[in-house]
Amino acid sequence: MTYIDGFILAVPTADRERFRAMASRVGKIFVEHGALRVVENWGDDVARGEITDFYRATQAGEDETIVFSFIEWPSKEARDRGNETVAADPRLEPLPGEKNIFDSRRMIYGGFVPVVDERGSAR
């Protein structure tokens, strides 16, 4: 059974390309360390709720966009090993243009066990 790490964060809208470049570089490192895939999704149709929403949860400002990301691993054990080796990989250090792209203190994340995984074919 696969294992999913999920993330919600707020990224300055003006830094979309900087974020995409950083996430692409870092995603390749995670795949080298065992991740099956890394998906970064730029908010396009993210509703503001009456009680709670992604904007409130991340304390997003008017100039920020919500990003929903996930890393799919073969198993929780593979995720634990992968995260350990990724943390020790010096390539994970931010490059000069990658510093301060988003405030990681406002990022929400967690590990999840899939309970439903329905797939269709692309049309």
Side-chain angles (χ1 to χ4, degrees), residues 26-78:
V26 170
K28 288 177 177 73
I29 294 170
F30 273 87
V31 169
E32 285 182 28
H33 289 281
L36 298 174
R37 67 183 179 147
V38 176
V39 180
E40 302 284 351
N41 303 280
W42 193 258
D44 178 61
D45 186 13
V46 181
R48 292 187 182 269
E50 291 183 27
I51 297 173
T52 190
D53 59 32
F54 290 131
Y55 298 96
R56 286 184 184 108
T58 60
Q59 299 176 355
E62 291 298 319
D63 61 340
E64 293 180 310
T65 297
I66 299 301
V67 173
F68 166 67
S69 308
F70 66 91
I71 303 173
E72 183 178 6
W73 298 93
S75 66
K76 184 175 183 185
E77 295 76 23

Side-chain angles (χ1 to χ4, degrees), residues 93-112:
E93 289 297 315
L95 299 175
E98 295 176 346
K99 293 188 185 294
N100 302 321
I101 293 177
F102 64 92
D103 183 353
S104 61
R105 297 172 302 171
R106 296 186 288 140
M107 178 172 61
I108 300 166
Y109 58 92
F112 299 87

